[in-house]
Each structure stands twice: as structure tokens, then as C-alpha cells.
Amino acid sequence: MPPTTEHSEMLRAASLRVTRPRLAVLDAVLANPHVDTETVYRTVRDTLPVVSRQAVYDVLAALTTAGLLRRIQPSGSVARYESRVGDNHHHLVCRSCGAIEDVDCAVGEAPCLTASQPRGYTIDEAEVVYWGTCPRCSVP
């Protein structure tokens, strides 16, 4: 899927220059939810063969810092990137194949942001990972 004007506008709205590597990385993550860095790199190289691995890492960091991507790293897994940001959703992770899926907060609007003992913290995000076996791996 080629980068769109919408992707350029997303970058501009985040005060980032529109560059081919940024568009390619953003496009790769938008097309592949919960994608790992190596897959992003290989996908970007398909459209920009001269882009370096470091450039992809730098773009992922810039897009994450700008709030266009979210970096997640379930225990025992490599870092993953997703474009669903700002809604404090959580994840289901299959212990067998490593599949990751989004899941909304359990009840209403971000109830998990109300800690039983916030200890003076201003909480703005909670990270919940549900572990189990996906339907595909559960089949005997």
C-alpha cells in the first residue's frame, strides 16, 4: 500500500518533516498491526532499498515519541509497534505462537487508570497484557 496524503498530514500534524523513510515506516506499521522492528525494516526495504536499519530504528523512535505509534513489548517478546494510540487499549498474547491482538478496557472508559493506591502519581496510561492460547493454537 503506497503512502497517502493522509500519512503526510499525520506527520505534519505531529510537527515532523515528511520524508520517504518516515512515510514508508508509517505505512508499514499501519499495514501490519503489532509488527516487529525486523519486519518493518524488511517492508521498508521493499520500497526504499537504500534505507539503513539505523534509519528505520530512528524513524520508529521519532514516530513513537511524536505519538503516532505505540511501542509494546510483552514479556519474552521483541518490541512491537502499532498505530492504535491514545485510547489505552490492552493486548491478548498467545503463549504458543506469539500472536497479539488488541482488546479494549474491560469496563467503560479506561477504568484501569484508577489505581487502588496511586501513591501521588498522576496516571495517564496502564498496560495490561492478557496471556493465553489463541483459537488457532487451541485446536488439538
Side-chain angles (χ1 to χ4, degrees):
M1 155 175 25
T4 65
T5 303
E6 182 180 331
H7 298 161
S8 296
E9 291 305 316
M10 290 171 69
L11 291 169
R12 286 187 190 100
S15 299
L16 293 174
R17 280 185 329 120
V18 177
T19 64
R20 290 184 69 204
R22 285 180 178 161
L23 287 169
V25 169
L26 185 57
D27 190 51
V29 177
L30 288 166
N32 302 293
H34 310 116
V35 65
D36 63 271
T37 309
E38 185 59 29
T39 303
V40 171
Y41 173 67
R42 285 194 317 268
T43 302
V44 169
R45 292 281 301 218
D46 287 345
T47 57
L48 296 174
V50 296
V51 74
S52 71
R53 188 178 305 275
Q54 187 60 51
V56 170
Y57 292 163
D58 292 346
V59 170
L60 285 167
L63 297 177
T64 301
T65 299
L68 295 176
L69 299 181
R70 180 178 176 197
R71 181 183 185 272
I72 62 170
Q73 189 167 8
S75 179
S77 176
V78 298
R80 308 286 182 119
Y81 293 87
E82 64 181 349
S83 58
R84 184 176 170 186
V85 297
D87 67 350
N88 201 56
H89 69 279
H90 306 305
H91 297 97
L92 299 164
V93 179
C94 179
R95 290 184 189 279
S96 182
C97 70
I100 300 174
E101 292 191 44
D102 292 336
V103 62
D104 292 328
C105 283
V107 181
E109 278 194 44
C112 50
L113 293 182
T114 306
S116 61
Q117 297 179 355
R119 301 174 194 252
Y121 283 72
T122 301
I123 300 171
D124 61 15
E125 182 179 0
E127 190 171 310
V128 176
V129 177
Y130 298 96
W131 292 90
T133 307
C134 72
R136 191 177 52 202
C137 292
S138 294
V139 177

